[in-house]
Amino acid sequence: MSEQPLRICILGGGFGGLYTALRLNQFPWTDGHSPEIILIDQHDHFLFTPLLYELITGEMQSWEIAPRFEELFANTRIHFQQGYVTAINIETKRIKLDNCKDLSYDKLVLAMGTKTPLDKILGSKNYGLPFRSLQDAYCIKERLRALEIAKFNKIRVAVVGGGASGVELACKLADRLGGIGRIRLLERGKKLLSNSSEFNCKAVQYALEKRLVRIDLETEVSRINSNSLSLHCKGKTDTIPVDLVILTVGNQVLGWIKGLPLKHSEQGLIAVSPELQVIDHPEIYALGDLADFKDITGQQVPRTAQAALQQSYYCAWNLWASITQRPLLSFRYQALGEMLTLGVDNATLNGLGIKFDGPLAYLTRRLIYLYRLPTFKHQFNVGLNWAIRPFMEEITKLIS
Ligand SMILES: Cc1cc2nc3c(=O)[nH]c(=O)nc-3n(C[C@H](O)[C@H](O)[C@H](O)COP(=O)(O)OP(=O)(O)OC[C@H]3O[C@@H](n4cnc5c(N)ncnc54)[C@H](O)[C@@H]3O)c2cc1C
């Protein structure tokens, strides 16, 4: 009787999980070791979040930034299971999904990322829109379209949170709405982009001013209503009218992950070793936004796509090495820099000793992201579409 292959379950098909699965698939598995690889995600598609803004302006189409897992896994050994993970029994090594029977695992990868906190500001759940998923982007686009149809003179949008997501979104919204947009960027800290380089901060400031985005610093939003929001600024409370409130207010670990009997940080992130193994559970790996750890040099690893992608290579290697009795590698984070999109045809880029902004930075950012998209086939299809799209648009204009 043939033995059951060892089963690796990867929970979450984002930057950490998807790229771990794809890399794992490339290793030379000998027959005796060949495992079953199952990736589980609530959605049927991956999402390349750094390009989500481009959906708001129509610069890109959803198939380009959100390829379906079934397409990505064609001709691989990876199986995709769609479902929402609701619990994990660490003792019995079983995963509970909302839509099918439990799954067992031998090795587990936790890569479910985080969510936008909707419990910090009153009214967020009813009247605030997060900006994190494909559905969020569709929802924002629909609301903008409805406002554009209903309104004639101005559309007032408040973006809450002045981090990278907030400033990038504010610029894209300003370009999308043009003269009728009144964009307000609300940040409770003393400055925007608290972790960015001076060069990028200056480029951001210029791009926001050029687009007439109003910046409110040291401003705390306390309540969101159906068409207004309340804010505290320098001891004063004010209520301002708004048509749309978008939240880019950071990350929160999923509630049930906080409850797992594993070692957590104060914010509920899962503590892992530099080999990406969960403390006291070498059969479980965790990476990406839900993991809290310092790399082998003692450097705190940021919660970005860049870091999750780098971790995925180590995670895949260490899974393979642990199964084929090879030494594990300790993760070493390489900060490659930061790229920000600042409207249509504009971006800023600072990393590896190079810094520039404007249309060239926009093009460079696009090409780097094209290279980062998963699978060569998807990169090729998207690249080809980018190359022929301007010609197709010209032809359509000529015909109509
Ligand atoms: C709008 C936006 C723009 C960003 N831009 C950048 C950028 O330019 N550069 C950068 O470095 N970082 C950027 N980030 C941050 C980056 O997206 C995250 O750091 C990165 O995605 C983390 O990877 P991850 O694998 O931990 O989680 P994710 O990529 O978020 O993936 C988590 C996956 O788990 C799935 N999932 C979650 N819970 C469950 C469940 N219970 N059951 C089943 N599936 C589940 C989700 O559907 C998702 O597919 C951006 C984030 C956002 C929201």
PDB file of all heavy atoms in Angstrom, residues 242-276:
ATOM      1  N   VAL A 242     -18.921  65.430   4.400  1.00  0.00           N
ATOM      2  CA  VAL A 242     -18.167  64.580   3.455  1.00  0.00           C
ATOM      3  C   VAL A 242     -19.143  63.725   2.645  1.00  0.00           C
ATOM      4  O   VAL A 242     -20.239  63.414   3.114  1.00  0.00           O
ATOM      5  CB  VAL A 242     -17.184  63.598   4.156  1.00  0.00           C
ATOM      6  CG1 VAL A 242     -15.911  64.266   4.606  1.00  0.00           C
ATOM      7  CG2 VAL A 242     -17.834  62.865   5.293  1.00  0.00           C
ATOM      8  N   ASP A 243     -18.710  63.344   1.457  1.00  0.00           N
ATOM      9  CA  ASP A 243     -19.519  62.442   0.644  1.00  0.00           C
ATOM     10  C   ASP A 243     -19.010  61.008   0.730  1.00  0.00           C
ATOM     11  O   ASP A 243     -19.739  60.054   0.520  1.00  0.00           O
ATOM     12  CB  ASP A 243     -19.485  62.900  -0.825  1.00  0.00           C
ATOM     13  CG  ASP A 243     -20.076  64.292  -0.981  1.00  0.00           C
ATOM     14  OD1 ASP A 243     -21.206  64.499  -0.506  1.00  0.00           O
ATOM     15  OD2 ASP A 243     -19.390  65.175  -1.538  1.00  0.00           O
ATOM     16  N   LEU A 244     -17.730  60.894   1.027  1.00  0.00           N
ATOM     17  CA  LEU A 244     -17.117  59.559   1.061  1.00  0.00           C
ATOM     18  C   LEU A 244     -15.932  59.578   2.026  1.00  0.00           C
ATOM     19  O   LEU A 244     -15.122  60.509   1.994  1.00  0.00           O
ATOM     20  CB  LEU A 244     -16.631  59.232  -0.370  1.00  0.00           C
ATOM     21  CG  LEU A 244     -16.016  57.884  -0.647  1.00  0.00           C
ATOM     22  CD1 LEU A 244     -17.003  56.771  -0.366  1.00  0.00           C
ATOM     23  CD2 LEU A 244     -15.589  57.809  -2.115  1.00  0.00           C
ATOM     24  N   VAL A 245     -15.861  58.548   2.896  1.00  0.00           N
ATOM     25  CA  VAL A 245     -14.723  58.442   3.829  1.00  0.00           C
ATOM     26  C   VAL A 245     -13.997  57.128   3.554  1.00  0.00           C
ATOM     27  O   VAL A 245     -14.605  56.054   3.578  1.00  0.00           O
ATOM     28  CB  VAL A 245     -15.207  58.464   5.300  1.00  0.00           C
ATOM     29  CG1 VAL A 245     -14.017  58.368   6.246  1.00  0.00           C
ATOM     30  CG2 VAL A 245     -16.015  59.718   5.586  1.00  0.00           C
ATOM     31  N   ILE A 246     -12.700  57.230   3.287  1.00  0.00           N
ATOM     32  CA  ILE A 246     -11.913  56.015   3.028  1.00  0.00           C
ATOM     33  C   ILE A 246     -10.866  55.881   4.132  1.00  0.00           C
ATOM     34  O   ILE A 246     -10.185  56.850   4.484  1.00  0.00           O
ATOM     35  CB  ILE A 246     -11.234  56.069   1.638  1.00  0.00           C
ATOM     36  CG1 ILE A 246     -12.288  56.352   0.559  1.00  0.00           C
ATOM     37  CG2 ILE A 246     -10.521  54.764   1.348  1.00  0.00           C
ATOM     38  CD1 ILE A 246     -11.747  56.491  -0.843  1.00  0.00           C
ATOM     39  N   LEU A 247     -10.764  54.646   4.659  1.00  0.00           N
ATOM     40  CA  LEU A 247      -9.866  54.420   5.805  1.00  0.00           C
ATOM     41  C   LEU A 247      -8.591  53.706   5.380  1.00  0.00           C
ATOM     42  O   LEU A 247      -8.642  52.607   4.825  1.00  0.00           O
ATOM     43  CB  LEU A 247     -10.589  53.572   6.852  1.00  0.00           C
ATOM     44  CG  LEU A 247     -11.882  54.179   7.397  1.00  0.00           C
ATOM     45  CD1 LEU A 247     -12.729  53.126   8.072  1.00  0.00           C
ATOM     46  CD2 LEU A 247     -11.569  55.302   8.371  1.00  0.00           C
ATOM     47  N   THR A 248      -7.463  54.331   5.645  1.00  0.00           N
ATOM     48  CA  THR A 248      -6.162  53.675   5.435  1.00  0.00           C
ATOM     49  C   THR A 248      -5.410  53.814   6.765  1.00  0.00           C
ATOM     50  O   THR A 248      -4.407  54.509   6.859  1.00  0.00           O
ATOM     51  CB  THR A 248      -5.371  54.336   4.278  1.00  0.00           C
ATOM     52  OG1 THR A 248      -5.184  55.726   4.592  1.00  0.00           O
ATOM     53  CG2 THR A 248      -6.092  54.251   2.967  1.00  0.00           C
ATOM     54  N   VAL A 249      -5.980  53.159   7.781  1.00  0.00           N
ATOM     55  CA  VAL A 249      -5.528  53.429   9.152  1.00  0.00           C
ATOM     56  C   VAL A 249      -4.727  52.288   9.773  1.00  0.00           C
ATOM     57  O   VAL A 249      -4.747  52.109  10.995  1.00  0.00           O
ATOM     58  CB  VAL A 249      -6.742  53.761  10.056  1.00  0.00           C
ATOM     59  CG1 VAL A 249      -7.282  55.135   9.760  1.00  0.00           C
ATOM     60  CG2 VAL A 249      -7.845  52.714   9.908  1.00  0.00           C
ATOM     61  N   GLY A 250      -4.001  51.543   8.966  1.00  0.00           N
ATOM     62  CA  GLY A 250      -3.095  50.546   9.525  1.00  0.00           C
ATOM     63  C   GLY A 250      -3.657  49.138   9.504  1.00  0.00           C
ATOM     64  O   GLY A 250      -4.604  48.840   8.769  1.00  0.00           O
ATOM     65  N   ASN A 251      -3.034  48.295  10.316  1.00  0.00           N
ATOM     66  CA  ASN A 251      -3.304  46.852  10.272  1.00  0.00           C
ATOM     67  C   ASN A 251      -3.735  46.318  11.623  1.00  0.00           C
ATOM     68  O   ASN A 251      -3.279  46.798  12.658  1.00  0.00           O
ATOM     69  CB  ASN A 251      -2.016  46.110   9.879  1.00  0.00           C
ATOM     70  CG  ASN A 251      -1.501  46.568   8.534  1.00  0.00           C
ATOM     71  OD1 ASN A 251      -2.254  46.652   7.578  1.00  0.00           O
ATOM     72  ND2 ASN A 251      -0.223  46.881   8.471  1.00  0.00           N
ATOM     73  N   GLN A 252      -4.566  45.299  11.580  1.00  0.00           N
ATOM     74  CA  GLN A 252      -5.009  44.637  12.811  1.00  0.00           C
ATOM     75  C   GLN A 252      -5.027  43.121  12.552  1.00  0.00           C
ATOM     76  O   GLN A 252      -5.500  42.688  11.495  1.00  0.00           O
ATOM     77  CB  GLN A 252      -6.423  45.112  13.110  1.00  0.00           C
ATOM     78  CG  GLN A 252      -6.929  44.779  14.468  1.00  0.00           C
ATOM     79  CD  GLN A 252      -8.302  45.411  14.681  1.00  0.00           C
ATOM     80  OE1 GLN A 252      -9.204  45.261  13.868  1.00  0.00           O
ATOM     81  NE2 GLN A 252      -8.459  46.115  15.774  1.00  0.00           N
ATOM     82  N   VAL A 253      -4.527  42.372  13.512  1.00  0.00           N
ATOM     83  CA  VAL A 253      -4.502  40.906  13.357  1.00  0.00           C
ATOM     84  C   VAL A 253      -5.926  40.357  13.498  1.00  0.00           C
ATOM     85  O   VAL A 253      -6.714  40.866  14.289  1.00  0.00           O
ATOM     86  CB  VAL A 253      -3.583  40.274  14.435  1.00  0.00           C
ATOM     87  CG1 VAL A 253      -3.518  38.763  14.284  1.00  0.00           C
ATOM     88  CG2 VAL A 253      -2.190  40.866  14.350  1.00  0.00           C
ATOM     89  N   LEU A 254      -6.255  39.329  12.710  1.00  0.00           N
ATOM     90  CA  LEU A 254      -7.587  38.714  12.805  1.00  0.00           C
ATOM     91  C   LEU A 254      -7.796  38.198  14.230  1.00  0.00           C
ATOM     92  O   LEU A 254      -6.891  37.614  14.826  1.00  0.00           O
ATOM     93  CB  LEU A 254      -7.703  37.540  11.825  1.00  0.00           C
ATOM     94  CG  LEU A 254      -7.435  37.843  10.340  1.00  0.00           C
ATOM     95  CD1 LEU A 254      -7.486  36.568   9.516  1.00  0.00           C
ATOM     96  CD2 LEU A 254      -8.432  38.856   9.809  1.00  0.00           C
ATOM     97  N   GLY A 255      -9.027  38.371  14.738  1.00  0.00           N
ATOM     98  CA  GLY A 255      -9.332  38.024  16.135  1.00  0.00           C
ATOM     99  C   GLY A 255      -8.969  36.600  16.504  1.00  0.00           C
ATOM    100  O   GLY A 255      -8.316  36.348  17.511  1.00  0.00           O
ATOM    101  N   TRP A 256      -9.330  35.625  15.656  1.00  0.00           N
ATOM    102  CA  TRP A 256      -9.096  34.231  16.043  1.00  0.00           C
ATOM    103  C   TRP A 256      -7.604  33.863  15.996  1.00  0.00           C
ATOM    104  O   TRP A 256      -7.183  32.923  16.666  1.00  0.00           O
ATOM    105  CB  TRP A 256      -9.950  33.273  15.222  1.00  0.00           C
ATOM    106  CG  TRP A 256      -9.631  33.203  13.757  1.00  0.00           C
ATOM    107  CD1 TRP A 256     -10.217  33.903  12.757  1.00  0.00           C
ATOM    108  CD2 TRP A 256      -8.638  32.376  13.134  1.00  0.00           C
ATOM    109  NE1 TRP A 256      -9.667  33.575  11.546  1.00  0.00           N
ATOM    110  CE2 TRP A 256      -8.703  32.642  11.746  1.00  0.00           C
ATOM    111  CE3 TRP A 256      -7.708  31.453  13.595  1.00  0.00           C
ATOM    112  CZ2 TRP A 256      -7.870  32.008  10.825  1.00  0.00           C
ATOM    113  CZ3 TRP A 256      -6.876  30.825  12.685  1.00  0.00           C
ATOM    114  CH2 TRP A 256      -6.960  31.106  11.320  1.00  0.00           C
ATOM    115  N   ILE A 257      -6.831  34.618  15.227  1.00  0.00           N
ATOM    116  CA  ILE A 257      -5.384  34.342  15.199  1.00  0.00           C
ATOM    117  C   ILE A 257      -4.769  34.741  16.538  1.00  0.00           C
ATOM    118  O   ILE A 257      -3.905  34.055  17.086  1.00  0.00           O
ATOM    119  CB  ILE A 257      -4.704  35.067  14.015  1.00  0.00           C
ATOM    120  CG1 ILE A 257      -5.153  34.405  12.714  1.00  0.00           C
ATOM    121  CG2 ILE A 257      -3.184  35.048  14.136  1.00  0.00           C
ATOM    122  CD1 ILE A 257      -4.566  34.964  11.471  1.00  0.00           C
ATOM    123  N   LYS A 258      -5.279  35.860  17.081  1.00  0.00           N
ATOM    124  CA  LYS A 258      -4.805  36.297  18.409  1.00  0.00           C
ATOM    125  C   LYS A 258      -5.076  35.228  19.465  1.00  0.00           C
ATOM    126  O   LYS A 258      -4.357  35.103  20.443  1.00  0.00           O
ATOM    127  CB  LYS A 258      -5.538  37.583  18.820  1.00  0.00           C
ATOM    128  CG  LYS A 258      -4.979  38.839  18.216  1.00  0.00           C
ATOM    129  CD  LYS A 258      -5.608  40.026  18.891  1.00  0.00           C
ATOM    130  CE  LYS A 258      -5.395  41.283  18.095  1.00  0.00           C
ATOM    131  NZ  LYS A 258      -6.235  42.381  18.501  1.00  0.00           N
ATOM    132  N   GLY A 259      -6.161  34.482  19.256  1.00  0.00           N
ATOM    133  CA  GLY A 259      -6.572  33.477  20.242  1.00  0.00           C
ATOM    134  C   GLY A 259      -5.852  32.139  20.099  1.00  0.00           C
ATOM    135  O   GLY A 259      -6.039  31.249  20.930  1.00  0.00           O
ATOM    136  N   LEU A 260      -5.031  31.949  19.068  1.00  0.00           N
ATOM    137  CA  LEU A 260      -4.342  30.658  18.906  1.00  0.00           C
ATOM    138  C   LEU A 260      -3.342  30.444  20.057  1.00  0.00           C
ATOM    139  O   LEU A 260      -2.697  31.408  20.491  1.00  0.00           O
ATOM    140  CB  LEU A 260      -3.578  30.634  17.572  1.00  0.00           C
ATOM    141  CG  LEU A 260      -4.396  30.505  16.288  1.00  0.00           C
ATOM    142  CD1 LEU A 260      -3.479  30.623  15.071  1.00  0.00           C
ATOM    143  CD2 LEU A 260      -5.151  29.191  16.258  1.00  0.00           C
ATOM    144  N   PRO A 261      -3.195  29.221  20.526  1.00  0.00           N
ATOM    145  CA  PRO A 261      -2.267  28.968  21.632  1.00  0.00           C
ATOM    146  C   PRO A 261      -0.801  28.994  21.174  1.00  0.00           C
ATOM    147  O   PRO A 261      -0.087  28.012  21.271  1.00  0.00           O
ATOM    148  CB  PRO A 261      -2.690  27.581  22.133  1.00  0.00           C
ATOM    149  CG  PRO A 261      -3.276  26.925  20.924  1.00  0.00           C
ATOM    150  CD  PRO A 261      -3.877  27.993  20.086  1.00  0.00           C
ATOM    151  N   LEU A 262      -0.393  30.131  20.624  1.00  0.00           N
ATOM    152  CA  LEU A 262       0.985  30.324  20.139  1.00  0.00           C
ATOM    153  C   LEU A 262       1.528  31.576  20.804  1.00  0.00           C
ATOM    154  O   LEU A 262       0.765  32.376  21.352  1.00  0.00           O
ATOM    155  CB  LEU A 262       0.980  30.525  18.607  1.00  0.00           C
ATOM    156  CG  LEU A 262       0.352  29.428  17.756  1.00  0.00           C
ATOM    157  CD1 LEU A 262       0.287  29.860  16.290  1.00  0.00           C
ATOM    158  CD2 LEU A 262       1.151  28.124  17.869  1.00  0.00           C
ATOM    159  N   LYS A 263       2.846  31.780  20.711  1.00  0.00           N
ATOM    160  CA  LYS A 263       3.423  32.975  21.316  1.00  0.00           C
ATOM    161  C   LYS A 263       3.106  34.200  20.445  1.00  0.00           C
ATOM    162  O   LYS A 263       3.342  34.174  19.226  1.00  0.00           O
ATOM    163  CB  LYS A 263       4.935  32.791  21.448  1.00  0.00           C
ATOM    164  CG  LYS A 263       5.524  33.737  22.425  1.00  0.00           C
ATOM    165  CD  LYS A 263       6.953  33.388  22.776  1.00  0.00           C
ATOM    166  CE  LYS A 263       7.485  34.549  23.586  1.00  0.00           C
ATOM    167  NZ  LYS A 263       8.853  34.866  23.280  1.00  0.00           N
ATOM    168  N   HIS A 264       2.563  35.240  21.081  1.00  0.00           N
ATOM    169  CA  HIS A 264       2.181  36.450  20.340  1.00  0.00           C
ATOM    170  C   HIS A 264       2.924  37.665  20.882  1.00  0.00           C
ATOM    171  O   HIS A 264       3.334  37.688  22.035  1.00  0.00           O
ATOM    172  CB  HIS A 264       0.681  36.724  20.488  1.00  0.00           C
ATOM    173  CG  HIS A 264      -0.183  35.730  19.787  1.00  0.00           C
ATOM    174  ND1 HIS A 264      -0.583  34.550  20.356  1.00  0.00           N
ATOM    175  CD2 HIS A 264      -0.733  35.742  18.554  1.00  0.00           C
ATOM    176  CE1 HIS A 264      -1.332  33.878  19.506  1.00  0.00           C
ATOM    177  NE2 HIS A 264      -1.436  34.583  18.400  1.00  0.00           N
ATOM    178  N   SER A 265       3.014  38.698  20.034  1.00  0.00           N
ATOM    179  CA  SER A 265       3.537  39.986  20.504  1.00  0.00           C
ATOM    180  C   SER A 265       2.381  40.729  21.186  1.00  0.00           C
ATOM    181  O   SER A 265       1.245  40.255  21.168  1.00  0.00           O
ATOM    182  CB  SER A 265       4.032  40.810  19.318  1.00  0.00           C
ATOM    183  OG  SER A 265       2.925  41.279  18.577  1.00  0.00           O
ATOM    184  N   GLU A 266       2.680  41.919  21.713  1.00  0.00           N
ATOM    185  CA  GLU A 266       1.629  42.691  22.384  1.00  0.00           C
ATOM    186  C   GLU A 266       0.456  43.009  21.459  1.00  0.00           C
ATOM    187  O   GLU A 266      -0.688  43.038  21.862  1.00  0.00           O
ATOM    188  CB  GLU A 266       2.207  44.006  22.912  1.00  0.00           C
ATOM    189  CG  GLU A 266       2.642  43.888  24.351  1.00  0.00           C
ATOM    190  CD  GLU A 266       3.292  45.160  24.828  1.00  0.00           C
ATOM    191  OE1 GLU A 266       2.862  46.241  24.410  1.00  0.00           O
ATOM    192  OE2 GLU A 266       4.258  45.039  25.613  1.00  0.00           O
ATOM    193  N   GLN A 267       0.767  43.267  20.162  1.00  0.00           N
ATOM    194  CA  GLN A 267      -0.332  43.586  19.223  1.00  0.00           C
ATOM    195  C   GLN A 267      -1.021  42.336  18.685  1.00  0.00           C
ATOM    196  O   GLN A 267      -1.862  42.437  17.804  1.00  0.00           O
ATOM    197  CB  GLN A 267       0.187  44.362  18.009  1.00  0.00           C
ATOM    198  CG  GLN A 267       0.925  45.632  18.309  1.00  0.00           C
ATOM    199  CD  GLN A 267       2.326  45.542  17.729  1.00  0.00           C
ATOM    200  OE1 GLN A 267       3.147  44.765  18.197  1.00  0.00           O
ATOM    201  NE2 GLN A 267       2.598  46.333  16.696  1.00  0.00           N
ATOM    202  N   GLY A 268      -0.594  41.155  19.164  1.00  0.00           N
ATOM    203  CA  GLY A 268      -1.253  39.924  18.721  1.00  0.00           C
ATOM    204  C   GLY A 268      -0.582  39.272  17.523  1.00  0.00           C
ATOM    205  O   GLY A 268      -1.087  38.286  16.983  1.00  0.00           O
ATOM    206  N   LEU A 269       0.560  39.825  17.082  1.00  0.00           N
ATOM    207  CA  LEU A 269       1.277  39.212  15.952  1.00  0.00           C
ATOM    208  C   LEU A 269       1.938  37.918  16.420  1.00  0.00           C
ATOM    209  O   LEU A 269       2.302  37.792  17.599  1.00  0.00           O
ATOM    210  CB  LEU A 269       2.357  40.169  15.429  1.00  0.00           C
ATOM    211  CG  LEU A 269       1.864  41.531  14.939  1.00  0.00           C
ATOM    212  CD1 LEU A 269       3.031  42.462  14.709  1.00  0.00           C
ATOM    213  CD2 LEU A 269       1.061  41.365  13.657  1.00  0.00           C
ATOM    214  N   ILE A 270       2.124  36.978  15.512  1.00  0.00           N
ATOM    215  CA  ILE A 270       2.696  35.677  15.891  1.00  0.00           C
ATOM    216  C   ILE A 270       4.224  35.776  15.942  1.00  0.00           C
ATOM    217  O   ILE A 270       4.856  36.213  14.974  1.00  0.00           O
ATOM    218  CB  ILE A 270       2.253  34.587  14.896  1.00  0.00           C
ATOM    219  CG1 ILE A 270       0.721  34.451  14.959  1.00  0.00           C
ATOM    220  CG2 ILE A 270       2.915  33.263  15.192  1.00  0.00           C
ATOM    221  CD1 ILE A 270       0.149  33.538  13.925  1.00  0.00           C
ATOM    222  N   ALA A 271       4.783  35.362  17.079  1.00  0.00           N
ATOM    223  CA  ALA A 271       6.245  35.443  17.247  1.00  0.00           C
ATOM    224  C   ALA A 271       6.903  34.277  16.524  1.00  0.00           C
ATOM    225  O   ALA A 271       6.468  33.129  16.663  1.00  0.00           O
ATOM    226  CB  ALA A 271       6.583  35.406  18.728  1.00  0.00           C
ATOM    227  N   VAL A 272       7.918  34.598  15.712  1.00  0.00           N
ATOM    228  CA  VAL A 272       8.619  33.534  14.975  1.00  0.00           C
ATOM    229  C   VAL A 272      10.132  33.684  15.137  1.00  0.00           C
ATOM    230  O   VAL A 272      10.644  34.761  15.442  1.00  0.00           O
ATOM    231  CB  VAL A 272       8.271  33.536  13.464  1.00  0.00           C
ATOM    232  CG1 VAL A 272       6.845  33.145  13.205  1.00  0.00           C
ATOM    233  CG2 VAL A 272       8.576  34.864  12.817  1.00  0.00           C
ATOM    234  N   SER A 273      10.826  32.576  14.875  1.00  0.00           N
ATOM    235  CA  SER A 273      12.291  32.582  14.922  1.00  0.00           C
ATOM    236  C   SER A 273      12.816  33.138  13.600  1.00  0.00           C
ATOM    237  O   SER A 273      12.055  33.245  12.632  1.00  0.00           O
ATOM    238  CB  SER A 273      12.782  31.147  15.105  1.00  0.00           C
ATOM    239  OG  SER A 273      12.522  30.434  13.907  1.00  0.00           O
ATOM    240  N   PRO A 274      14.108  33.454  13.510  1.00  0.00           N
ATOM    241  CA  PRO A 274      14.633  33.933  12.217  1.00  0.00           C
ATOM    242  C   PRO A 274      14.479  32.897  11.091  1.00  0.00           C
ATOM    243  O   PRO A 274      14.608  33.233   9.917  1.00  0.00           O
ATOM    244  CB  PRO A 274      16.112  34.216  12.515  1.00  0.00           C
ATOM    245  CG  PRO A 274      16.159  34.453  13.978  1.00  0.00           C
ATOM    246  CD  PRO A 274      15.110  33.555  14.579  1.00  0.00           C
ATOM    247  N   GLU A 275      14.197  31.640  11.449  1.00  0.00           N
ATOM    248  CA  GLU A 275      13.956  30.619  10.401  1.00  0.00           C
ATOM    249  C   GLU A 275      12.492  30.612   9.978  1.00  0.00           C
ATOM    250  O   GLU A 275      12.044  29.760   9.229  1.00  0.00           O
ATOM    251  CB  GLU A 275      14.348  29.218  10.917  1.00  0.00           C
ATOM    252  CG  GLU A 275      15.836  29.004  11.082  1.00  0.00           C
ATOM    253  CD  GLU A 275      16.389  29.755  12.305  1.00  0.00           C
ATOM    254  OE1 GLU A 275      15.666  29.834  13.323  1.00  0.00           O
ATOM    255  OE2 GLU A 275      17.524  30.267  12.227  1.00  0.00           O
ATOM    256  N   LEU A 276      11.726  31.571  10.502  1.00  0.00           N
ATOM    257  CA  LEU A 276      10.288  31.739  10.204  1.00  0.00           C
ATOM    258  C   LEU A 276       9.410  30.672  10.852  1.00  0.00           C
ATOM    259  O   LEU A 276       8.255  30.477  10.463  1.00  0.00           O
ATOM    260  CB  LEU A 276      10.024  31.777   8.688  1.00  0.00           C
ATOM    261  CG  LEU A 276      10.702  32.930   7.942  1.00  0.00           C
ATOM    262  CD1 LEU A 276      10.969  32.561   6.505  1.00  0.00           C
ATOM    263  CD2 LEU A 276       9.868  34.172   7.991  1.00  0.00           C
TER     264      LEU A 276
END
